[in-house]
Amino acid sequence: RQAVSNWETGRSQPDLDMLEALASAFGTDILVVIYGQMPAGEDEETRSGYLKEITGAISIYDATYNTGCRPLDYVLREKSLLFNEYQVEFSCMAEGECIDFMTAADVYALFGNALDNALECVQEEKEEERFISLHLTRRGEMVIVHVENRCSREVQFQDGLPVTHKKDKTRHGFGVRSIVYIAEKYDGQVFMKAEDGKYLLDIMFSRSSQISN
């Protein structure tokens, strides 16, 4: 209901597709998501627990991200739903204006893959230890992306990139390669390492090189 209330007061616009997706995920009608209505015959305890789950999902969806980059805001809102589902603590500090040289498609792919990889990693951890943080900032002419997540297992690297520990190695690693490809497209550099129980991803761009291009 909070998402709809914000729309009614002009503070944000609800995404009907997202509300329908929430309804589908909970196996209910979209009216339940919007108005909190429950089918007849449900007891109060079931109703309370059910609506609490939906309210939690909507509150995450309705989290306001105003980074200054609309494609990044969309990615953050979408991934926040997944983080909530998998009990992942997520923190974000992002100056979206500093990636105004990137296309929307590249923003979706770069940050989407980075956060997806982090989520896949923390799913192997205990729920109380799952965390992901994202920092996007500008320092002088440099733009720095830093993604950090819990990672208790040992990670092997080859040529600076992590070697998947999945059995089917042909189906994994595309996300990492996509990150590298997009970074290099903008003359950026990618650094990955695992230390002290954390996995660290750093991407650096020079804004001056974007102007010259």
Side-chain angles (χ1 to χ4, degrees):
R1 182 56 181 167
Q2 184 63 38
V4 179
S5 297
N6 284 350
W7 166 64
E8 291 169 345
T9 56
R11 289 190 287 126
S12 67
Q13 179 179 354
D15 186 329
L16 186 58
D17 290 339
M18 184 63 74
L19 293 176
E20 290 179 339
L22 284 171
S24 176
F26 284 99
T28 188
D29 187 271
I30 191 172
L31 293 178
V32 176
V33 176
I34 297 175
Y35 297 110
Q37 297 175 347
M38 287 288 291
E42 296 288 357
D43 60 65
E44 186 61 30
E45 183 177 353
T46 300
R47 173 190 171 86
S48 177
Y50 189 75
L51 294 182
K52 183 177 180 180
E53 287 187 68
I54 293 179
T55 301
I58 291 179
S59 67
I60 295 298
Y61 160 77
D62 196 44
T64 301
Y65 288 103
N66 294 310
T67 66
C69 175
R70 293 187 66 184
L72 178 58
D73 294 343
Y74 182 88
V75 172
L76 293 174
R77 190 158 58 179
E78 178 186 34
K79 300 308 177 186
S80 290
L81 282 170
L82 290 174
F83 298 153
N84 182 60
E85 178 181 352
Y86 290 103
Q87 303 297 310
V88 179
E89 179 182 341
F90 178 59
S91 62
C92 174
M93 295 182 62
E95 302 171 25
E97 299 93 340
C98 65
I99 53 171
D100 56 6
F101 56 85
M102 297 181 65
T103 66
D106 286 339
V107 171
Y108 290 138
L110 181 71
F111 289 90
N113 279 315
L115 293 175
D116 282 343
N117 288 347
L119 176 59
E120 181 177 358
C121 184
V122 299
Q123 283 180 261
E124 301 177 4
E125 306 294 337
K126 299 176 181 178
E127 285 190 3
E128 62 271 18
E129 297 181 359
R130 296 176 182 175
F131 75 87
I132 299 173
S133 65
L134 166 65
H135 284 203
L136 168 63
T137 187
R138 177 176 176 176
R139 297 178 185 172
E141 290 302 307
M142 298 301 298
V143 174
I144 301 173
V145 180
H146 178 76
V147 180
E148 183 176 310
N149 60 265
R150 171 66 172 155
C151 180
S152 60
R153 67 178 176 83
E154 183 179 356
V155 180
Q156 301 294 326
F157 288 85
Q158 183 175 346
D159 298 325
L161 301 180
V163 178
T164 180
H165 65 295
K166 304 289 185 179
K167 290 183 179 180
D168 186 355
K169 300 184 183 301
T170 62
R171 297 183 59 187
H172 293 85
F174 294 108
V176 171
R177 290 197 289 271
S178 174
I179 292 171
V180 173
Y181 171 79
I182 295 171
E184 292 180 345
K185 176 180 176 180
Y186 295 95
D187 296 325
Q189 295 179 295
V190 178
F191 304 94
M192 303 179 188
K193 64 180 179 179
E195 63 180 18
D196 300 326
K198 301 176 183 178
Y199 186 89
L200 311 174
L201 165 66
D202 289 286
I203 309 171
M204 299 197 308
F205 302 98
S206 170
R207 285 189 61 87
S208 58
S209 67
Q210 310 311 318
I211 297 174
S212 63
N213 288 339

